[in-house]
Structures are given as structure tokens and as C-alpha cells.
Amino acid sequence: MWRSAAAVRALRGGGAGAPRAASGAAAAQLRQRLENELEDIRGAGTWKSERVIASRQGPHLRLAGGGGGIINFCANNYLGLSSHPEVIRAAVEALEKFGAGLSSVRFICGTQSIHKDLEEKIARFHQREDAILYASCFDANAGIFEALLTPEDAVLSDELNHASIIDGIRLCKANKYRYKHMDMQDLEAKLQEAQKHRLRLVATDGAFSMDGDIAPLREICQLAQKYDALVFIDECHATGFLGPNGRGTDELLGVMDKVTIINSTLGKALGGAAGGYTTGPKPLIDLLRQRSRPYLFSNSLPPAVVGCASKALDLLMESNAIAQSMAAKTQRFRSKMTAAGFTISGKDHPICPVMLGDARLASVMAEDMLNRGIYVIGFSYPVVPKGKARIRVQISAVHSDEDIDRCVDAFTEVGRKHGALR
Ligand code: PLP
């Protein structure tokens, strides 16, 4: 929670547990600089505040300080597995059997049988040779490019790729090319330019989280074949639910045998606890275990987290019913909202951005939706381009039809009230 300078000064006044502030000119200068920077963020209207949830993650929430009965449309809990009873039971069993944590990185004494089992399961799920776990997909993205690419190589990245891909690419010494969002002409031009390098890696999100649009993987793979390049996809917003069996964008678009490397998260559809991974050719995974810095220098995934993800994958490999149910709910929301007169960006994806244009409109509408018991978030510049403010709605398999209809009704009411709908 942010505290005003006056509140911090009052806290500093005394008491055994009061925070201690470092003294000296440098500390004072730093404090002043930070306070100015925070004020700038507030002034720019881009301050991100956090609502506190007092219940489990799920389609219905209770917010701290009272508000119960809130219908939640802004988590990445696409399959509703975050609070699935079998997922929770698996976590408790893993906690009891394998302890709270490993107090170690993997290669010293941090590998348990459950880590190996989960890696094997992930590889089987994606039909790849092997997999390696990380503490997050952010780490998987931070670790792969530097370990794989040298100054002799090239990486070609969609301009709207996730921040963690951008940061991962920054860390590597390969030649960097940025192509326009999902623009195949631009990608082809960049691939031609990159022919002079030893190896070319095209990197893209499978599904883009701000727009709910899906990368044109078929075309990307065709170009990769033509120009002798490898394809890397980040499947954080696809694993578990896109494609007939929820394998992801590569399954949806029929190119499972053309994508070389997949990074994804355990922190969204696959139980929602935490963790990430890379899956792909065995020598690549072997190399990552030797060279990837976030893997080598960070603690092993805690057993309870491994238990959650492992059970989530079991549930998905047993049946595609959950993934199919989410697709039907998405279709219901998208078609009802479109019929009501809203523009929903993307296609067939549970990320459903309700396009509003104006930043203030997005913010007041989101606030008014919460007053009606619907939790959604407005996004504006700099998170999305200027003039493209929106409210992002995320559908989950565990929303009921009634939840979805209540959300559409609230949007219609609030949209009319604020002039977004006539
Ligand atoms: N990649 C994409 C596309 C994401 O949306 C996210 C999370 O927001 C990440 C990577 C990072 O995943 P994790 O939360 O596992 O670090």
C-alpha cells in the first residue's frame, strides 16, 4: 500500500516495529527523487492500484473490506483450475510429502522426483522431447535467448511481444530485428535481411494478451521454412485451452511439428499457482540446464506449486471437456456483446477487449461495472496505444451462462449511461 510522506514520517516517530529510515544526504536525496517520480506517475494518470481479494481466486470473489458476490472477469484463470478441489488436494499432498521447499537451486540439491515427473508430463502434453521448469515464464523468457543465441545469430521479434520476451532478447548478444505486429510482409523483409546470420529465430506470443489476437502461426512457419529459421512461441495465453485438446496455438493452427520451442506458464490456466517452462528438443533443454541463468541461480519450484500444475495437466490430458466449455462461454460473451453494439477485439479468444477508445471512459465504466458487482479492468496508454483504451474481459470455463449474461447486461447499462452505446 502506498503511504503519503506525512504518514511515513508519523510512522517513523517511534515504537518497536516502526520502520527505520536511513539517514544521510544520499538517502534524503534518493527519497526526494523517488517521491518526485511517484508524483509524476500519479500526475500522468498511470498509477496502478491493487484491489485486495479476501477469498480464493475464482469466478466469484469477496474483496477485502466488505464487497462479496463480485463476479470476476479479470483473472487469467481460463479453466477455473486455480481453486479446483483436486488441484488444491494435490498441492496439500505434495506439501506434506515433499515439504515447503528445497532451499536450493536444482543442480545443487533442489531436484525432487516430482520436478522430473512434471517436466516429463509437460513434454508429453506438448508432444516435445523434453522440458525444463523455471520459477516463472518471465524467467523462462529471460533465460532462453542468452543461452541459445550468439552474436553470429539473429532473433526476429513481433513488436507487441510480452515484456519478458523483450527483456530476454535484450540480454542476448544476437542481432535483433523487430517486425510490425503480425505483419508477414515485414517479417519476410526482415528474414531476407537476416540471411547473413548463422541462425534465425522468429519469436512471437501465440496469443497477445492486450488484444486477444492470435499470431498467424501457419504463415510464420511457412516463412520460417522458406528462410531456414526456427520458431519460438510464448504460450502463456494459450496453453491448456486453445486447440481441440487445449495444447495451444500450434495445435489450433495445425503446426505442432513446425514450432521448435515453446515457453509457457503454470501461473495462468494450469492451476494458476506459479512457475514456467521451456519445452522443445532435448539438446536445447540439456543446454538450458547448463547455461540458463534464471534456472541455475534461483530456487527450485516449491512442491505445492508442482503438485498444482501436475494435477492440472492430468485433468487436461484426461478430457478436453473443460477447454471446450471455456470456448462455448467465450462464444456466448463475444456474440452477445457484439449484438449489443460493442466492438470486441480479437477472435475466438477468452481475452475479450471491449474497445472504447477514450481512457477516461474506460476508467469510469470499469468503476461503474464494479458498482454493479462486475470486476473488470480498464487499460489505457501507455499499456495500450493512445486512443485505443479498452476494458479487458477474460472469460473462464467456470463462469456460468448467468454470470456472462449479467456481465453483458451491466455493460449495456453502463455503456448507455456513459455514451459508449446509443
Ligand atoms: N509471457 C506472457 C505472454 C505473459 O502474459 C506473462 C504474464 O503475464 C508472462 C510471459 C510471464 O509469465 P509468469 O507470470 O509465469 O512469469
Side-chain angles (χ1 to χ4, degrees):
M1 185 186 73
W2 177 81
R3 291 193 177 101
S4 70
V8 171
R9 273 194 297 276
L11 272 171
R12 262 191 259 147
R20 290 168 196 272
S23 56
Q29 195 187 23
L30 173 68
R31 179 176 291 276
Q32 191 54 55
R33 209 197 76 202
L34 297 178
E35 279 172 3
N36 291 345
E37 206 168 316
L38 293 172
E39 214 36 63
D40 287 350
I41 297 174
R42 255 181 242 111
T46 55
W47 186 267
K48 290 180 251 341
S49 46
E50 298 172 8
R51 287 209 171 87
V52 181
I53 298 169
S55 59
R56 285 180 179 177
Q57 182 62 280
H60 301 127
L61 295 178
R62 190 160 51 78
L63 295 181
I70 305 288
I71 311 180
N72 176 17
F73 284 95
C74 49
N76 302 306
N77 185 19
Y78 297 113
L79 299 175
L81 298 180
S82 301
S83 298
H84 191 288
E86 286 188 51
V87 172
I88 293 171
R89 201 173 318 121
V92 171
E93 280 167 16
L95 181 64
E96 287 192 341
K97 186 163 177 199
F98 291 95
L102 273 299
S103 312
S104 173
V105 298
R106 287 284 298 273
F107 80 95
I108 298 181
C109 67
T111 301
Q112 292 171 318
S113 52
I114 45 172
H115 295 95
K116 298 308 286 180
D117 292 347
L118 178 56
E119 285 170 341
E120 183 274 320
K121 212 174 272 185
I122 288 168
R124 192 150 39 87
F125 180 77
H126 286 286
Q127 299 174 19
R128 308 289 144 150
E129 291 172 18
D130 202 356
I132 176 174
L133 289 170
Y134 286 88
S136 67
C137 185
F138 203 110
D139 277 352
N141 286 342
I144 189 157
F145 300 101
E146 192 200 16
L148 178 64
L149 304 174
T150 74
E152 287 183 78
D153 304 318
V155 55
L156 302 96
S157 174
D158 186 295
E159 65 181 349
L160 292 192
N161 275 343
H162 189 258
S164 54
I165 299 180
I166 295 170
D167 285 8
I169 289 174
R170 274 192 194 137
L171 289 171
C172 83
K173 295 201 173 67
N175 299 277
K176 293 152 193 154
Y177 296 82
R178 203 163 67 133
Y179 63 91
K180 293 196 193 110
H181 181 48
M182 303 208 311
D183 182 330
M184 293 300 98
Q185 264 186 338
D186 196 33
L187 174 59
E188 180 156 21
K190 302 274 155 55
L191 276 166
Q192 283 164 353
E193 227 182 304
Q195 286 305 294
K196 55 186 178 256
H197 306 299
R198 179 183 66 175
L199 180 156
R200 285 151 295 286
L201 178 69
V202 180
T204 180
D205 280 10
F208 290 83
S209 63
M210 281 300 138
D211 292 289
D213 49 1
I214 294 171
L217 265 195
R218 243 181 251 133
E219 292 77 1
I220 290 176
C221 289
Q222 275 162 10
L223 284 176
Q225 206 156 9
K226 182 168 170 192
Y227 292 98
D228 196 20
L230 301 170
V231 178
F232 160 98
I233 54 176
D234 174 323
E235 288 282 88
C236 283
H237 295 280
T239 301
F241 56 90
L242 284 192
N245 300 296
R247 293 321 191 247
T249 318
D250 58 342
E251 186 193 27
L252 179 74
L253 298 175
V255 289
M256 284 184 90
D257 55 344
K258 304 232 160 41
V259 170
T260 312
I261 307 166
I262 295 174
N263 275 10
S264 193
T265 185
L266 305 172
K268 301 192 194 297
L270 299 184
Y277 58 84
T278 298
T279 184
K282 181 158 180 2
L284 168 69
I285 304 302
D286 288 345
L287 182 78
L288 292 173
R289 289 193 204 283
Q290 303 304 314
R291 292 262 173 82
S292 180
R293 292 167 70 82
Y295 179 82
L296 286 169
F297 299 110
S298 188
N299 203 16
S300 301
L301 268 189
V305 167
V306 175
C308 288
S310 193
K311 178 52 76 178
L313 283 168
D314 288 344
L315 294 172
L316 292 179
M317 288 198 273
E318 269 162 29
S319 149
N320 67 359
I322 317 177
Q324 295 301 325
S325 139
M326 196 224 52
K329 306 277 165 62
T330 298
Q331 182 52 31
R332 184 181 186 95
F333 180 78
R334 282 180 170 270
S335 59
K336 288 200 162 195
M337 284 291 282
T338 307
F342 287 102
T343 303
I344 311 297
S345 169
K347 189 171 166 282
D348 298 335
H349 195 281
I351 292 173
C352 305
V354 181
M355 303 306 287
L356 296 167
D358 182 66
R360 219 185 90 73
L361 178 64
S363 152
V364 293
M365 274 183 64
E367 208 52 49
D368 227 358
M369 291 289 285
L370 189 61
N371 294 336
R372 288 163 170 75
I374 308 287
Y375 187 7
V376 286
I377 297 281
F379 289 93
S380 52
Y381 182 80
V383 181
V384 294
K386 270 191 184 141
K388 297 225 163 145
R390 65 202 63 182
I391 290 178
R392 188 175 73 171
V393 173
Q394 287 172 284
I395 304 295
S396 169
V398 284
H399 283 128
S400 65
D401 285 350
E402 194 199 341
D403 292 338
I404 288 178
D405 295 352
R406 274 189 59 192
C407 183
V408 175
D409 289 347
F411 260 112
T412 308
E413 227 177 274
V414 167
R416 284 205 186 109
K417 177 175 160 192
H418 294 284
L421 281 185
R422 274 162 234 283

